[in-house]
Amino acid sequence: MSLFDAKFYDFYVHPAPDSIAQLTFEAKRYGYSGVAITNSQINPDEAEKPNGFSIYSAVEISCKPSKLRDEIKKHNRKREIIIAKGADEEFNRAVVETEGIDILLQPSKFNNVLAQAAQDNSVAIGFNAGSIIHTRDEARVRELTVMRANLKHARKFGLQIILTGDYYSIYDLRSPREIAALASLFGMTAKEAVNAMSAGCLEILGRKSPDYVQEGIELI
Amino acid sequence: MKTLPTLRDKKRYMAFEVNSEEIITRQELIKEIYNSVRSLFGDVGASEINFGLMSYDGKYGIIRCAKEKTGETRAALACVNKIRGIRISIMLLGISGTIKGATEKFIQKSLIKGLEPDKEKQEHPIPWVAGSHQVE
């Protein structure tokens, strides 16, 4: 059985409202089983999608560190996947120290203190492979350096890794194998990459199910 | 003069499909993939990859790379995102050891799949799944 027979998900997709159907049909062809659309007003259950394909809703929060808790409360009720894009050190620190955030995406200044806090609050660390695709030269070197450092911390502290392609349209789509090849550029193994796109995502989805009570407690 | 069979490099052939807003010419595609390989791996890396475009018809094509460098080639192909302002995505269909194998296994198969009336497609008649360009 090939490593790439798993079900793959991408949690950081932002299509234009009128191209959601187009993107989901193409994503299925590229080998994905589901996507989470960020900051969209569309109800995932009503959206047009191919058979056997799932759409989830995610939200990318960017606010003052002091308002983080209110934002999380608001979105937790709707069971949305909460993503925080890495910014300055103060924001990153607030994100990893707040329970309820699912993914901290591509933090640029990550250290052992933040990693420890992320482990305590089970915040996954996200790697944006789309940044390798869309940047060139110095910018790409910087992104790869950041990702290499983040991967080191994630391995050391056993953090959940999430890989995403940052898709806006069908022309940004890349298949899971290609995302894994891009991840290998900063030292991620194929197995880690597959886990980051399937098992890691499923774990987050499990946390969003109505049966989930809190870490380690679930209704059966 | 031919290379001795024992000294010949082992190669792999990758079948791919191009999804783009407009049709991309062969020259443009070669140039862009080459730039992508060079910007990711440098001159030394590019020479080790031994990249070559074997065939391309506007939609489907086959490229050659060194046997041990399939992962790197995949990454370089994934990095191609724009050619003279036209958005493009290269989707790899499969890897084979011979050109014939790559054509029969992946390109012809996907052409047949595209021609057959699919149940799922009938339910949702969407033009972009069947391919936006006509294949000659």
Side-chain angles (χ1 to χ4, degrees):
Chain A
M1 202 175 121
S2 163
L3 202 59
F4 287 87
D5 285 343
K7 284 185 165 183
F8 295 103
Y9 298 89
D10 199 297
F11 282 174
Y12 197 56
V13 178
H14 5 240
D18 54 341
S19 67
I20 289 178
Q22 187 183 13
L23 192 115
T24 51
F25 277 91
E26 275 292 278
K28 191 178 182 195
R29 208 164 68 89
Y30 273 76
Y32 288 98
S33 302
V35 293
I37 297 171
T38 49
N39 297 358
S40 165
Q41 304 299 323
I42 284 159
N43 185 352
D45 300 326
E46 290 168 8
E48 195 189 342
K49 59 192 172 197
N51 295 338
F53 192 86
S54 326
I55 301 180
Y56 307 98
S57 63
V59 61
E60 185 186 338
I61 48 174
S62 53
C63 60
K64 279 186 189 164
S66 55
K67 296 222 171 114
L68 219 49
R69 274 177 205 281
D70 298 335
E71 286 279 320
I72 293 168
K73 248 186 217 166
K74 200 168 81 188
H75 296 296
N76 246 350
R77 246 175 277 140
K78 293 189 228 158
R79 302 205 168 271
E80 288 173 318
I81 298 160
I82 303 174
I83 302 170
K85 200 169 183 187
D88 54 22
E89 216 168 338
E90 197 193 338
F91 181 77
N92 292 351
R93 177 111 189 199
V95 167
V96 291
E97 285 179 349
T98 317
E99 216 173 314
I101 291 183
D102 297 307
I103 304 167
L104 173 62
L105 191 69
Q106 199 99 333
S108 56
K109 281 178 185 161
F110 205 62
N111 54 39
N112 57 332
V113 180
L114 297 184
Q116 185 65 57
Q119 190 200 29
D120 295 342
N121 292 317
S122 48
V123 177
I125 179 160
F127 292 84
N128 185 357
S131 66
I132 308 176
I133 300 172
H134 293 107
T135 52
R136 287 277 184 281
D137 305 329
E138 292 95 349
R140 182 150 67 187
V141 174
R142 226 175 297 128
E143 292 290 344
L144 284 169
T145 316
V146 164
M147 285 156 113
R148 207 178 283 273
N150 289 354
L151 183 65
K152 237 186 225 172
H153 284 102
R155 278 181 183 157
K156 172 86 178 167
F157 289 88
L159 299 181
Q160 186 72 61
I161 300 171
I162 298 291
L163 253 177
T164 163
D166 194 7
Y167 306 130
Y168 284 86
S169 71
I170 55 163
Y171 303 109
D172 295 329
L173 279 171
R174 301 289 183 275
S175 67
R177 276 175 192 270
E178 275 143 70
I179 296 289
L182 286 170
S184 75
L185 295 176
F186 57 87
M188 196 182 274
T189 61
K191 202 174 169 190
E192 278 173 327
V194 169
N195 273 336
M197 285 183 281
S198 59
C201 294
L202 286 172
E203 203 183 304
I204 290 180
L205 288 177
R207 250 186 267 160
K208 296 290 154 195
S209 84
D211 296 337
Y212 178 84
V213 183
Q214 69 175 70
E215 192 71 44
I217 307 173
E218 205 177 316
L219 291 174
I220 302 170
Chain B
M1 209 165 123
K2 266 189 178 176
T3 321
L4 281 175
T6 49
L7 296 179
R8 245 178 249 159
D9 294 327
K10 291 269 183 199
K11 298 169 203 114
R12 285 292 175 267
Y13 297 92
M14 294 178 165
F16 67 86
E17 183 187 331
V18 170
N19 293 315
S20 59
E21 290 173 308
E22 286 172 34
I23 293 179
I24 304 291
T25 64
R26 190 191 159 88
Q27 286 307 320
E28 285 168 339
L29 190 73
I30 293 178
K31 210 176 155 190
E32 189 59 34
I33 297 175
Y34 213 81
N35 278 341
S36 174
V37 171
R38 273 190 60 181
S39 93
L40 257 187
F41 302 107
D43 295 348
V44 180
S47 78
E48 284 170 359
I49 284 175
N50 188 21
F51 157 81
L53 184 68
M54 311 313 290
S55 70
Y56 171 63
D57 66 357
K59 177 88 177 154
Y60 297 94
I62 291 172
I63 64 159
R64 179 198 64 206
C65 72
K67 185 190 162 198
E68 303 81 19
K69 299 285 176 187
T70 50
E72 283 85 344
T73 315
R74 241 179 221 284
L77 286 177
C79 284
V80 176
N81 62 341
K82 236 174 214 181
I83 297 180
R84 59 176 168 86
I86 300 165
R87 290 182 295 171
I88 168 174
S89 155
I90 299 176
M91 179 188 181
L92 276 186
L93 302 170
I95 305 178
S96 172
T98 55
I99 297 179
K100 188 182 169 194
T103 318
E104 284 175 2
K105 264 191 215 161
F106 306 113
I107 295 182
Q108 283 176 359
K109 208 168 135 191
S110 64
L111 280 176
I112 292 166
K113 212 174 149 189
L115 289 173
E116 270 179 5
D118 196 351
K119 266 187 190 172
E120 205 173 272
K121 250 180 251 173
Q122 282 178 340
E123 284 169 22
H124 310 276
I126 38 165
W128 55 84
V129 170
S132 48
H133 311 309
Q134 283 295 314
V135 181
E136 288 145 274

